[in-house]
Amino acid sequence: MPWLTALIGLLAVSVVWLGYRLESPALQWAGLPVGLVTGAAFAWGLGRIAYRRLERSGPEMLDLLLKGPLDRQKTPEETISAKAWKELPLWKKVIVWLCGGLFWIPFSMQGILPIVLKLNGYGEPPMRGPSWVLAFHFPAQFHWPVIAAMLALGVFMAVMAFWIPRRHLQEVRQRGKGASRA
C-alpha cells in the first residue's frame, strides 16, 4: 500500500518539483490542488470499483474470507507453516512485525528520498532550513555514508522480516523429520 500511495501522489510531487526547478512559487503551490484532485479521483474511482465488485460477489467473497476455499484441503506445507508461526516466540514475532512494517522508512524516506534531494542540490551548504532527513543533520562529507547506511538498514530490516520466519520454519521441518524417524 505505501507504494500505491506514493504512485498516486507522483503527479502532485512532479508539479511541485517542476515549480521548484523553474523557481515558480505559483507552480509549487499548484501541487496542492493537483494532489487533492488526484486523491479524490482515485478515492472515488477505486471506491466505485470496490462497491461494484462487492455488489456482484459480496456474499461469496465474505464466505471465502470466513471459511476459505471449500474444495481444497490444506497441504502439509501450509499446516507446517501455520504451526511454525504459532510456535514462533513472541519476541521474534515482534521483530518480524516491526521490520516488515517499518523497513520502508530507512529505505525510502531516509535513503531514496535524500538521494533525490542531494542530486537536486538540497542539503548542500548553506542549508535551507531544518530537515527531517537524518543525513542532513551531519556535516556534508557524511551525507552519502549516512544515506548508504540508511539504505542498508532498510534492506536488512526487509531481509530479517522474511528470514526469521523462514529459518524457524526450517527448524520446525527438521524437528518433524526427526520425530518421524524415531
Side-chain angles (χ1 to χ4, degrees):
M1 217 45 199
W3 298 109
L4 179 61
T5 305
L7 194 64
I8 291 171
L10 192 58
L11 182 61
V13 169
S14 299
V15 170
V16 172
W17 181 79
L18 184 63
Y20 170 76
R21 295 301 282 179
L22 297 176
E23 297 180 5
S24 168
L27 193 54
Q28 289 176 17
W29 277 102
L32 179 65
V34 168
L36 291 173
V37 169
T38 306
F42 271 95
W44 177 81
L46 295 175
R48 189 163 176 81
I49 290 169
Y51 116 78
R52 285 184 175 166
R53 188 163 183 194
L54 282 172
E55 195 173 62
R56 272 194 324 266
S57 57
E60 295 85 15
M61 285 175 38
L62 182 59
D63 197 45
L64 180 66
L65 287 171
L66 290 173
K67 299 177 186 172
L70 297 176
D71 61 339
R72 161 175 113 67
Q73 295 292 325
K74 285 189 174 181
T75 64
E77 176 72 23
E78 291 170 324
T79 306
I80 291 172
S81 296
K83 180 182 176 189
W85 181 256
K86 286 179 186 174
E87 289 180 2
L88 193 66
L90 179 61
W91 69 272
K92 285 185 178 180
K93 286 181 183 178
V94 169
I95 290 173
V96 169
W97 288 327
L98 288 174
C99 287
L102 299 176
F103 79 92
W104 63 275
I105 294 173
F107 185 76
S108 61
M109 305 317 280
Q110 298 294 326
I112 302 293
L113 181 64
I115 290 172
V116 172
L117 291 173
K118 289 278 293 174
L119 294 177
N120 281 296
Y122 187 84
E124 301 301 324
M127 278 288 287
R128 296 184 298 250
S131 172
W132 52 266
V133 175
L134 178 64
F136 296 159
H137 290 276
F138 289 89
Q141 66 265 27
F142 294 113
H143 288 183
W144 289 110
V146 171
I147 290 170
M150 288 292 105
L151 286 170
L153 177 63
V155 169
F156 175 76
M157 289 172 69
V159 167
M160 291 307 289
F162 287 101
W163 183 79
I164 291 173
R166 184 172 295 260
R167 177 75 179 133
H168 189 73
L169 178 60
Q170 289 172 347
E171 291 170 3
V172 168
R173 284 187 189 140
Q174 288 187 352
R175 276 186 295 195
K177 287 179 183 176
S180 63
R181 290 180 190 158

